[in-house]
Amino acid sequence: MQLHEYQAKNILSEYNVPIPFGQVALSDSECEKISSSINGKVVIKAQVHAGGRGKAGGIKIVDNPLDAKKVAQDMIGGTLKTFQSGGTKFPINKVYVEEASDILKEFYLAVTMDFDEKCPVIILSTEGGMNIEEVAEKTPDKIMKIHVNPLIGPSPYKVRNLLSSLNLEKKISQQISNIIQNLYRIFKSLDCTLIEINPLAITSQEKVIALDAKITIDDDSIFRHSDIEELFDETQMNRSELKALRNDLAYIKLDGGKVGCMVNGAGLAMATMDITMKAGAAPANFLDVGGSASEERIEEAYKIIASDNDVEVILVNLFGGILRCDVAAKGIINGFENYNKSIPMVVVLRGTNSEDAKLLLENSELDISFAEDLPTAASEITKKLKK
Amino acid sequence: MQLHEYQAKNILSEYNVPIPFGQVALSDSECEKISSSINGKVVIKAQVHAGGRGKAGGIKIVDNPLDAKKVAQDMIGGTLKTFQSGGTKFPINKVYVEEASDILKEFYLAVTMDFDEKCPVIILSTEGGMNIEEVAEKTPDKIMKIHVNPLIGPSPYKVRNLLSSLNLEKKISQQISNIIQNLYRIFKSLDCTLIEINPLAITSQEKVIALDAKITIDDDSIFRHSDIEELFDETQMNRSELKALRNDLAYIKLDGGKVGCMVNGAGLAMATMDITMKAGAAPANFLDVGGSASEERIEEAYKIIASDNDVEVILVNLFGGILRCDVAAKGIINGFENYNKSIPMVVVLRGTNSEDAKLLLENSELDISFAEDLPTAASEITKKLKK
Amino acid sequence: MNILNQDSNKVLIQGLGRDGSFQAERCIEFGTNIVSGVHPTKSGETFNRNIPIFGSVFEAVKKTSPEIGLIFVPAPFAADAIIEQIDASIPIIVCVTEGIPVSDMVKVNEYLKGKKTKLIGPNCPGYLIPDKKLKVGIIPGTIVKSGNVGVVSRSGTLTYEAIVQLTKLGIGQSACVGIGGDPINGTSFVDVLDMFEEDNKTEAIVMIGEIGGTKEQEAAERIKSSISKPVVASIVGQTAPEGRRMGHAGAVITGKSALASEKINSLRDAGVLIADSPTEIGLKVQELLKIK
Amino acid sequence: MNILNQDSNKVLIQGLGRDGSFQAERCIEFGTNIVSGVHPTKSGETFNRNIPIFGSVFEAVKKTSPEIGLIFVPAPFAADAIIEQIDASIPIIVCVTEGIPVSDMVKVNEYLKGKKTKLIGPNCPGYLIPDKKLKVGIIPGTIVKSGNVGVVSRSGTLTYEAIVQLTKLGIGQSACVGIGGDPINGTSFVDVLDMFEEDNKTEAIVMIGEIGGTKEQEAAERIKSSISKPVVASIVGQTAPEGRRMGHAGAVITGKSALASEKINSLRDAGVLIADSPTEIGLKVQELLKIK
């Protein structure tokens, strides 16, 4: 679960990570009011769940409260699409109003999980404010890492050794060192998968502050963070994604395809996509019902796929394990009956209770072709699409 | 560092450990006011750093705010001496005013460090409200323990297995289980050496609450808990103990002796005591100057010992290691000169720079006999005492 | 600990909710010797007629001496169940549960260091040895066939896909092992490859990988250095869109090595026969065995 | 890792403040081969004329290959220094620092599990081998004499007391080891007894214990089961008042076994010769060696 910048900054502040003075505004007049409490230039930032806001016009610097009001007027109620948002237009409901900082130098600082080393990792780069993937690719020596033993936390000696290689003033490196320890405390306490400060700025007053902040919480840990769950902003997801999330389904909308796909398991999902793509039929979406979906969740899954207007054919590829195919079949039939939209289906059912499932589907009013395996299903799909 | 009950209960509350409603009062009128906000009986508890308050008259139950006022009048400004306070009379500056609870059953619950297993341990006993040492001795099977891996924390399965052996209602064991997890969070976050809830009560409303609370923080960890350091109540220590503490000296006052002892190292201190006791000379106090005392700290040490009116002879037994004997000698001479109280001394000095030290002392105006070793020093002491 | 070469295979099942109970029955149907169950509130009861249920793993171990522990406990409690089984010294643990918090598994992984227990999963279908009539997990017993090909995969359902292909072509399996899709898990490709290498029954190996991480590259290195048996591999996700959920820092860590093409190159370089499409796994194995 | 039988004894000193620098000089005077120092802000400088100081342990290890690390770092940073030396794979670490938070040492202790490093201390005077001219720590070099008695103690200054008594009687020491007074430390009586048993130079052992804990009982058990060399022991604190600082729960854990009398009984039962007063340690050893 992703947090907005303003939510992340509240958390940073609570854990003693310095941030510039700022407040969230829900309206242009609020934005004006906050701006007038700030001396000097003011930064206004659209609160959306996408990176790359600056280039997309989601961050503006103004000189006075009146200009601030105007910017907020334009932003709030509008949408933002960035090069990182994957085509999605995110609605802007709030802006963050912040005093502008006088910046001498920008760093990149993140805490995340290193899955190869199976432990948290702290990433620091002198190339702050940049696209960090690009930095990693072009100048990998500018990316420095500290692997963290979960028992010990970030060893001060490792932090010290890393910072000493940068030849910073003692005053500066002491501040960064404290920020690293505090970020790690947030990472651990809130079960984060990512905390990213880009840029971490050194101001002309020699203060180190977090200018931007991105915090992502491990969805699987939300059950122990009810206070964080309340921060969830559902306006940042489209209706289908939200519905999928609420039903514990993994849904991805894809551009340009016509096939709606219902599968179980990420591996099988990827295999299905590889095979249908090769057969010339691009998917319109992907819905992974996961390991042990109930009848009700499968019904929701059917509705989500069927409500995608790009979908001309639905491919169901389920392999029963924990999931029972008969349960899935009932869910699909219920979905069809309650949603009442007939879309041709190609169905591959195998594993636990697949024979019962086929019987149920055959006796339904769905427009179904059964396939024994994926290649057959793929060619069946291309046939249906050509019709 | 020990906390008062009211301070400990504030912390419990912050970490979601249920406590009865209560507030601290600094005056009888405050006590009356708090009492009038409570329906039913009110418990008034003297806030002193000693256990066994109940038997010593430090805990009273009253029926109405007027009686509460009277009790507070008696307590505040007075002192309390309990069977656990080692002869010390603790001043009562505050009372804790709490609603009385309707108790069905009392448990003992503690988190502390098990030095044999080198890990934290949770101790639970069904014999709450009792002297736990007595329970441990007479019915050791009524003391249950959970050893905690510092990486994992208290494994829920261990807590569940322990609680299931008590055959409690699910509702009750769920509450105790949560309390255990929360106490451990406190233990870890605040670097405690002990958290003791005695009794942990089950009320007639089937709520589990902490009726009393004792929290001790590792003195060596205070440097990272400035907020806790502020809770320190210096009125609960006598002037010499306090002075010793402020100078990082370990000072213990003993009853009935006449020898003031300055040593370095706990082992040498104990050996010194064993030997002088055998020679028939009981110590009046013990001051361990520790591993690496400065001239100033030694000076304070001398003053603390010399200001004890029971002291007729001072025994100095130092073995230089990290501590340099010459530095110690200067400190003693300064102490003597600035405090200006001449007490005969027997001095054993060995190790690092001990020859320089002897020279310094010989040339001072102190009334000193040197001894080569401890037995000689002990007999020298008894001689001086007999004079 | 080679899970393929255990003599005795007594299984304990922890977590007997809807899924756990249903799957326990499927395991028993296949021939698995389930000796006990563990459930916090069903202590003293039995399941499948006469298998005893205990309140704690320690009790179950004391009374029934299982060598394998199978976990269906819900995600919030699953890491604790794994630790309970580790503490009870169960030599092999299979954790089917999906959705365990990453931070929990980081701790379990750290806790496992130096312990003798072998953990498979979590978020995995477990393993199945047709010849021994041993099914520990959720791989459908109906699709397997006894034989000489070892199958190992990160994906659950995709494992079944591969098994079906093999069985349809008359090619049996020595063992099928699903190591699970979670980024932090107990058993890696490398571990299972070593077991297959050591296992006398296994003559060829099928390995199914995915995009993301570098586990397939590690496997390629191991194959190059010390696996003498022929390997067929398939990597899925070649056409998958770049995951929107993957944070920047995540991409920084694995970089390009997470791509399917990089993995395929490493494996090919290690002498592995690549099935370009996951539908061709069976055919590739057939081809390999014929050549041989 | 037997600290007594290392061939090479190159020492690194971490923490070169007032005490560290002073004690480093004493070690060098005694003959110890100090090869490098570590201090966060003195990197590039030297001490004692020509010994290089590095900014990190890793750098010092890379350049000077020490086999022993000696720590004088202040308490708030000492646990981190121990971990830095463990991570740099220094085989023997002596930590003199006193006042390290208990919770820090619990973590260090957990972290050490499975590692090859041997930690002595913290809050200890270190060790000294007269014959090898090796002094790692703060035991005064002026009081020792080369010989065949091994001395081990929980207390710093009391160790010196025992050494002085031996030396005065003309009895030399094979090695003197102060394991430190903290409740959680790296090396126990048992560890050092084993080392003395193994060490050819050591003919008799002096062990000085204290009230509190059960380490002396553990030592008694080990002496009974596997120490063939004669042991003289003294336990101090027989007349000490019950510590007011000891919390209730602490007393619950150790109970009566913390008493001096209990410890003395266990040791006597293991065939140990008890010096009733710590002033009689030397005489008891003399008695023992004469009988022998």
Side-chain angles (χ1 to χ4, degrees):
Chain A
M1 176 185 147
Q2 201 179 318
L3 301 185
H4 280 301
E5 177 194 4
Y6 78 93
Q7 297 166 329
K9 282 191 169 163
N10 278 347
I11 293 172
L12 292 187
S13 187
E14 207 179 299
Y15 282 78
N16 298 321
V17 176
I19 51 169
F21 171 78
Q23 276 183 312
V24 73
L26 281 85
S27 67
D28 52 357
S29 55
E30 247 181 56
C31 177
E32 186 187 12
K33 204 176 144 197
I34 298 165
S35 298
S36 48
S37 73
I38 295 173
N39 281 329
K41 291 185 189 248
V42 170
V43 188
I44 297 165
K45 300 196 256 186
Q47 297 300 291
V48 293
H49 282 185
R53 289 174 302 174
K55 285 182 193 163
I59 299 178
K60 303 272 186 201
I61 301 181
V62 296
D63 288 313
N64 57 63
L66 256 182
D67 287 354
K69 187 176 183 173
K70 274 183 210 152
V71 167
Q73 236 162 19
D74 288 347
M75 280 188 181
I76 296 174
T79 59
L80 193 72
K81 185 172 158 179
T82 78
F83 74 100
Q84 285 184 26
S85 70
T88 311
K89 281 182 183 171
F90 289 94
I92 306 173
N93 304 315
K94 294 170 187 170
V95 295
Y96 191 62
V97 190
E98 194 174 67
E99 62 173 348
S101 301
D102 194 4
I103 302 164
L104 286 184
K105 171 109 198 74
E106 294 184 337
F107 288 95
Y108 171 94
L109 178 60
V111 189
T112 186
M113 206 57 92
D114 183 336
F115 292 131
D116 289 327
E117 300 292 330
K118 299 184 179 181
C119 68
V121 64
I122 290 157
I123 302 171
L124 181 71
S125 174
T126 51
E127 307 302 293
M130 314 275 290
N131 180 335
I132 197 68
E133 279 127 330
E134 246 177 77
V135 178
E137 202 174 311
K138 289 180 188 158
T139 49
D141 55 301
K142 294 210 167 157
I143 303 274
M144 290 174 293
K145 292 177 194 170
I146 297 175
H147 286 103
V148 180
N149 180 300
L151 175 67
I152 306 291
S155 289
Y157 88 83
K158 290 185 185 173
V159 177
R160 194 174 56 234
N161 290 353
L162 184 145
L163 291 174
S164 81
S165 72
L166 298 179
N167 290 318
L168 301 166
E169 272 182 70
K170 203 187 161 184
K171 210 169 142 188
I172 300 296
S173 57
Q174 193 52 56
Q175 290 178 68
I176 299 180
S177 171
N178 288 341
I179 290 172
I180 288 175
Q181 294 293 346
N182 288 329
L183 286 185
Y184 183 78
R185 279 171 53 222
I186 300 173
F187 186 81
K188 200 177 152 179
S189 307
L190 303 187
D191 287 313
C192 300
T193 51
L194 174 70
I195 303 179
E196 194 178 60
I197 310 296
N198 190 17
L200 179 76
I202 302 178
T203 68
S204 50
Q205 289 86 44
E206 295 195 299
K207 294 273 174 225
V208 183
I209 51 174
L211 282 197
D212 195 2
K214 186 176 174 182
I215 295 184
T216 311
I217 313 285
D218 180 4
D219 288 327
D220 291 332
S221 303
I222 290 289
F223 69 90
R224 49 189 175 214
H225 301 289
S226 50
D227 46 336
I228 294 290
E229 204 172 0
E230 283 168 18
L231 300 181
F232 178 63
D233 180 2
E234 33 179 74
T235 69
Q236 299 296 306
M237 278 188 159
N238 72 43
R239 264 191 66 209
S240 294
E241 283 175 333
L242 193 64
K243 217 169 167 184
L245 184 80
R246 295 275 179 240
N247 286 283
D248 257 330
L249 304 162
Y251 174 79
I252 296 172
K253 171 68 188 146
L254 300 166
D255 285 340
K258 293 175 177 174
V259 186
C261 299
M262 185 194 295
V263 289
N264 65 328
L268 196 61
M270 285 189 277
T272 306
M273 178 144 182
D274 289 350
I275 293 158
T276 49
M277 288 288 271
K278 273 192 192 169
N285 59 44
F286 249 91
L287 199 149
D288 178 358
V289 301
S292 78
S294 64
E295 203 174 308
E296 290 72 29
R297 275 168 58 203
I298 302 275
E299 180 177 338
E300 286 305 324
Y302 179 86
K303 287 182 188 169
I304 291 167
I305 294 172
S307 67
D308 179 348
N309 289 327
D310 294 340
V311 170
E312 293 179 10
V313 186
I314 295 177
L315 168 60
V316 174
N317 183 16
L318 301 176
F319 215 129
I322 282 239
L323 175 78
R324 303 188 223 172
C325 289
D326 55 338
V327 169
K330 282 180 202 160
I332 290 169
I333 294 167
N334 291 344
F336 166 74
E337 285 175 354
N338 295 331
Y339 195 73
N340 208 13
K341 182 171 173 186
S342 184
I343 300 170
M345 291 177 85
V346 177
V347 173
V348 190
L349 287 175
R350 289 167 301 177
T352 314
N353 296 3
S354 56
E355 291 311 314
D356 299 351
K358 278 179 200 163
L359 230 82
L360 283 167
L361 289 173
E362 271 167 8
N363 293 331
S364 78
E365 292 179 16
L366 281 155
D367 169 8
I368 288 189
S369 319
F370 288 100
E372 273 303 292
D373 53 30
L374 255 183
T376 321
S379 65
E380 193 69 26
I381 292 262
T382 47
K383 262 188 251 162
K384 291 208 186 227
L385 284 178
K386 273 173 199 156
K387 269 183 207 166
Chain B
M1 177 185 146
Q2 202 179 316
L3 301 186
H4 280 299
E5 177 194 4
Y6 80 93
Q7 296 166 330
K9 281 190 169 162
N10 278 347
I11 293 171
L12 292 187
S13 187
E14 207 179 297
Y15 281 80
N16 298 322
V17 176
I19 51 169
F21 171 78
Q23 277 181 314
V24 75
L26 280 84
S27 67
D28 51 358
S29 56
E30 246 182 58
C31 178
E32 186 185 11
K33 202 175 147 199
I34 298 164
S35 298
S36 50
S37 73
I38 295 172
N39 282 329
K41 291 185 189 248
V42 170
V43 188
I44 297 163
K45 299 195 256 186
Q47 297 300 290
V48 293
H49 283 184
R53 290 174 301 173
K55 285 180 193 166
I59 300 178
K60 304 272 185 199
I61 302 181
V62 295
D63 288 313
N64 57 64
L66 257 183
D67 288 353
K69 187 177 183 174
K70 276 180 210 155
V71 167
Q73 237 160 17
D74 289 347
M75 281 187 182
I76 296 173
T79 60
L80 194 73
K81 185 172 155 181
T82 79
F83 74 101
Q84 284 185 28
S85 69
T88 311
K89 281 182 181 172
F90 289 94
I92 308 173
N93 303 314
K94 295 170 188 171
V95 294
Y96 191 63
V97 192
E98 192 175 68
E99 63 174 347
S101 300
D102 196 4
I103 303 163
L104 288 182
K105 172 109 199 74
E106 294 183 339
F107 289 94
Y108 171 95
L109 178 60
V111 189
T112 185
M113 207 57 92
D114 185 335
F115 293 130
D116 289 328
E117 301 292 330
K118 299 184 178 180
C119 68
V121 63
I122 291 157
I123 302 171
L124 182 70
S125 173
T126 51
E127 306 302 292
M130 314 276 289
N131 180 333
I132 198 68
E133 278 127 330
E134 245 178 78
V135 177
E137 201 175 311
K138 291 182 187 157
T139 49
D141 55 300
K142 295 210 164 155
I143 304 274
M144 291 175 293
K145 292 178 195 170
I146 297 175
H147 286 102
V148 180
N149 180 301
L151 175 66
I152 306 292
S155 289
Y157 89 83
K158 289 185 185 173
V159 178
R160 195 172 57 232
N161 291 353
L162 184 147
L163 291 174
S164 80
S165 72
L166 298 179
N167 290 316
L168 301 166
E169 273 180 70
K170 201 185 163 185
K171 211 169 141 188
I172 300 296
S173 57
Q174 192 53 53
Q175 289 178 70
I176 298 180
S177 169
N178 288 341
I179 290 172
I180 288 175
Q181 295 293 344
N182 288 329
L183 286 186
Y184 184 77
R185 278 171 53 223
I186 300 174
F187 185 82
K188 200 177 153 180
S189 306
L190 304 187
D191 287 314
C192 300
T193 52
L194 175 70
I195 303 178
E196 193 178 61
I197 309 296
N198 189 18
L200 179 76
I202 302 178
T203 69
S204 51
Q205 289 87 44
E206 294 194 301
K207 295 271 175 226
V208 183
I209 50 173
L211 283 198
D212 196 2
K214 186 176 175 184
I215 294 184
T216 311
I217 313 284
D218 180 4
D219 288 326
D220 291 331
S221 303
I222 291 289
F223 70 88
R224 49 188 174 216
H225 302 288
S226 49
D227 47 336
I228 293 289
E229 207 173 358
E230 283 170 19
L231 300 180
F232 179 63
D233 180 1
E234 32 179 78
T235 69
Q236 300 296 304
M237 278 189 160
N238 71 44
R239 265 191 65 207
S240 295
E241 283 174 334
L242 193 63
K243 217 168 165 187
L245 185 80
R246 295 277 180 239
N247 287 284
D248 257 331
L249 304 163
Y251 174 79
I252 296 173
K253 171 68 189 143
L254 299 167
D255 284 338
K258 293 174 179 173
V259 187
C261 300
M262 185 195 293
V263 290
N264 64 328
L268 196 60
M270 286 190 277
T272 306
M273 178 145 180
D274 289 351
I275 292 158
T276 50
M277 288 287 272
K278 271 190 192 170
N285 59 44
F286 249 92
L287 199 149
D288 178 358
V289 301
S292 79
S294 64
E295 203 174 306
E296 291 72 29
R297 276 168 56 201
I298 302 274
E299 179 177 339
E300 287 303 325
Y302 179 86
K303 289 184 190 170
I304 291 167
I305 294 172
S307 67
D308 180 348
N309 289 327
D310 295 340
V311 169
E312 295 177 10
V313 186
I314 296 176
L315 168 59
V316 174
N317 183 17
L318 301 176
F319 217 129
I322 282 239
L323 175 78
R324 301 189 224 171
C325 290
D326 55 338
V327 170
K330 282 180 202 158
I332 290 170
I333 294 167
N334 292 345
F336 166 72
E337 285 174 355
N338 296 331
Y339 195 73
N340 206 14
K341 183 174 172 185
S342 181
I343 301 169
M345 291 177 84
V346 177
V347 173
V348 191
L349 287 175
R350 290 168 298 178
T352 314
N353 297 3
S354 55
E355 291 312 312
D356 298 351
K358 278 177 200 164
L359 230 81
L360 284 167
L361 288 173
E362 271 166 10
N363 294 331
S364 78
E365 293 179 17
L366 281 154
D367 170 8
I368 289 189
S369 320
F370 289 99
E372 273 303 293
D373 53 30
L374 255 181
T376 321
S379 66
E380 193 70 27
I381 292 259
T382 49
K383 263 187 253 165
K384 290 205 188 234
L385 284 177
K386 274 172 197 156
K387 271 183 205 166
Chain C
M1 169 64 58
N2 190 331
I3 62 167
L4 308 177
N5 298 338
Q6 288 250 114
D7 280 335
S8 175
N9 285 300
K10 290 188 281 185
V11 177
L12 167 157
I13 295 200
Q14 185 169 11
L16 288 161
R18 188 194 61 177
D19 292 336
S21 302
F22 178 82
Q23 295 295 336
E25 279 169 30
R26 300 291 85 71
C27 290
I28 294 167
E29 268 172 28
F30 191 77
T32 308
N33 180 21
I34 295 183
V35 296
S36 51
V38 170
H39 196 276
T41 63
K42 294 181 183 169
S43 173
E45 299 178 20
T46 62
F47 72 105
N48 203 267
R49 298 219 181 127
N50 55 3
I51 301 172
I53 302 177
F54 298 93
S56 77
V57 173
F58 277 83
E59 222 185 317
V61 165
K62 211 166 108 186
K63 304 275 173 62
T64 64
S65 317
E67 288 103 5
I68 304 169
L70 177 55
I71 295 174
F72 287 102
V73 169
F77 318 108
D80 186 52
I82 296 174
I83 287 167
E84 188 176 4
Q85 294 204 2
I86 296 170
D87 287 349
S89 301
I90 298 183
I92 300 168
I93 301 172
V94 173
C95 184
V96 175
T97 310
E98 68 175 320
I100 301 179
V102 175
S103 57
D104 285 6
M105 282 313 299
V106 166
K107 283 182 192 164
V108 167
N109 176 64
E110 214 41 52
Y111 192 67
L112 263 174
K113 285 181 183 169
K115 303 273 195 311
K116 282 177 190 161
T117 294
K118 186 90 210 154
L119 171 67
I120 302 167
N123 189 17
C124 82
Y127 69 105
L128 191 151
I129 306 177
D131 201 34
K132 289 192 179 170
K133 297 199 178 304
L134 175 69
K135 165 177 151 146
V136 187
I138 58 171
I139 297 176
T142 48
I143 59 172
V144 300
K145 173 185 159 77
S146 184
N148 305 317
V149 174
V151 179
V152 57
S153 168
R154 269 166 86 177
S155 154
T157 42
L158 195 52
T159 318
Y160 317 157
E161 170 72 38
I163 297 171
V164 163
Q165 290 177 28
L166 292 171
T167 300
K168 266 195 186 164
L169 294 169
I171 303 168
Q173 301 92 43
S174 56
C176 308
V177 185
I179 59 173
D182 277 8
I184 296 181
N185 60 11
T187 297
S188 66
F189 278 132
V190 167
D191 296 328
V192 181
L193 287 170
D194 286 348
M195 292 178 198
F196 282 142
E197 179 70 13
E198 209 182 282
D199 177 51
N200 291 330
K201 262 211 100 195
T202 304
E203 287 175 12
I205 301 166
V206 168
M207 181 186 130
I208 305 158
E210 288 176 14
I211 50 168
T214 57
K215 308 282 176 200
E216 288 78 6
Q217 281 87 334
E218 285 166 27
E221 269 177 47
R222 181 62 62 117
I223 290 167
K224 209 169 183 176
S225 70
S226 47
I227 304 296
S228 65
K229 298 176 183 180
V231 182
V232 170
S234 183
I235 304 292
V236 299
Q238 302 181 39
T239 59
E242 213 185 304
R244 260 182 296 165
R245 292 196 180 193
M246 184 181 267
H248 289 205
V252 169
I253 290 168
T254 48
K256 282 197 169 168
S257 56
L259 298 177
S261 54
E262 292 284 322
K263 292 168 188 290
I264 288 171
N265 287 343
S266 301
L267 288 164
R268 198 167 262 145
D269 181 52
V272 171
L273 199 61
I274 302 291
D276 287 327
S277 160
T279 57
E280 293 162 14
I281 295 169
L283 295 170
K284 282 283 170 190
V285 175
Q286 196 178 38
E287 189 182 309
L288 177 92
L289 293 176
K290 269 179 196 157
I291 292 170
K292 222 189 141 205
Chain D
M1 170 65 55
N2 190 332
I3 61 166
L4 309 177
N5 299 339
Q6 288 250 113
D7 278 335
S8 176
N9 286 301
K10 289 187 281 183
V11 177
L12 167 156
I13 295 200
Q14 186 168 11
L16 288 163
R18 188 194 60 175
D19 292 337
S21 302
F22 180 82
Q23 295 295 335
E25 281 169 29
R26 301 290 86 69
C27 291
I28 294 166
E29 269 171 26
F30 192 76
T32 307
N33 180 19
I34 296 183
V35 296
S36 51
V38 171
H39 197 275
T41 62
K42 295 181 183 168
S43 174
E45 300 177 20
T46 62
F47 72 106
N48 204 267
R49 301 219 179 128
N50 54 4
I51 302 172
I53 301 177
F54 299 94
S56 78
V57 173
F58 277 84
E59 220 184 318
V61 165
K62 213 167 106 187
K63 303 275 172 60
T64 64
S65 317
E67 288 102 5
I68 304 169
L70 177 55
I71 295 175
F72 287 101
V73 169
F77 319 106
D80 185 53
I82 297 174
I83 288 167
E84 187 176 6
Q85 294 205 3
I86 297 170
D87 287 350
S89 302
I90 297 184
I92 299 169
I93 300 172
V94 173
C95 183
V96 175
T97 311
E98 69 176 320
I100 301 180
V102 175
S103 56
D104 285 7
M105 282 312 300
V106 166
K107 282 182 193 163
V108 167
N109 176 65
E110 212 44 50
Y111 191 67
L112 263 172
K113 285 181 183 169
K115 303 275 194 312
K116 280 177 192 163
T117 295
K118 186 89 209 155
L119 171 68
I120 300 168
N123 189 16
C124 81
Y127 69 105
L128 191 151
I129 305 178
D131 201 33
K132 289 191 178 168
K133 297 199 179 304
L134 177 68
K135 165 176 151 148
V136 187
I138 59 171
I139 297 176
T142 49
I143 60 173
V144 300
K145 174 186 157 75
S146 183
N148 305 315
V149 174
V151 179
V152 59
S153 168
R154 267 168 85 178
S155 154
T157 43
L158 196 52
T159 318
Y160 316 158
E161 172 71 39
I163 297 170
V164 163
Q165 290 177 28
L166 292 171
T167 299
K168 267 195 185 165
L169 293 168
I171 304 167
Q173 302 92 44
S174 56
C176 308
V177 186
I179 59 173
D182 277 7
I184 297 180
N185 60 11
T187 297
S188 66
F189 278 132
V190 167
D191 296 328
V192 181
L193 287 170
D194 287 349
M195 292 177 198
F196 283 142
E197 179 70 14
E198 211 181 279
D199 177 50
N200 290 330
K201 262 211 100 196
T202 304
E203 286 176 13
I205 300 166
V206 169
M207 180 186 132
I208 304 159
E210 287 176 14
I211 50 169
T214 57
K215 308 282 176 202
E216 288 77 8
Q217 281 87 335
E218 286 166 26
E221 270 177 46
R222 180 62 63 115
I223 290 168
K224 210 171 183 175
S225 70
S226 47
I227 304 296
S228 66
K229 298 177 183 178
V231 181
V232 170
S234 183
I235 303 292
V236 298
Q238 302 181 38
T239 59
E242 213 185 305
R244 263 182 293 164
R245 290 195 182 194
M246 183 180 269
H248 288 206
V252 169
I253 289 169
T254 51
K256 282 196 170 169
S257 56
L259 297 178
S261 55
E262 292 283 322
K263 290 168 189 291
I264 289 172
N265 287 343
S266 302
L267 288 164
R268 197 166 263 146
D269 182 51
V272 170
L273 198 61
I274 302 292
D276 288 325
S277 159
T279 57
E280 294 161 14
I281 294 170
L283 296 170
K284 282 282 170 192
V285 176
Q286 195 178 40
E287 189 182 310
L288 177 91
L289 293 177
K290 273 181 192 155
I291 292 169
K292 223 190 140 205

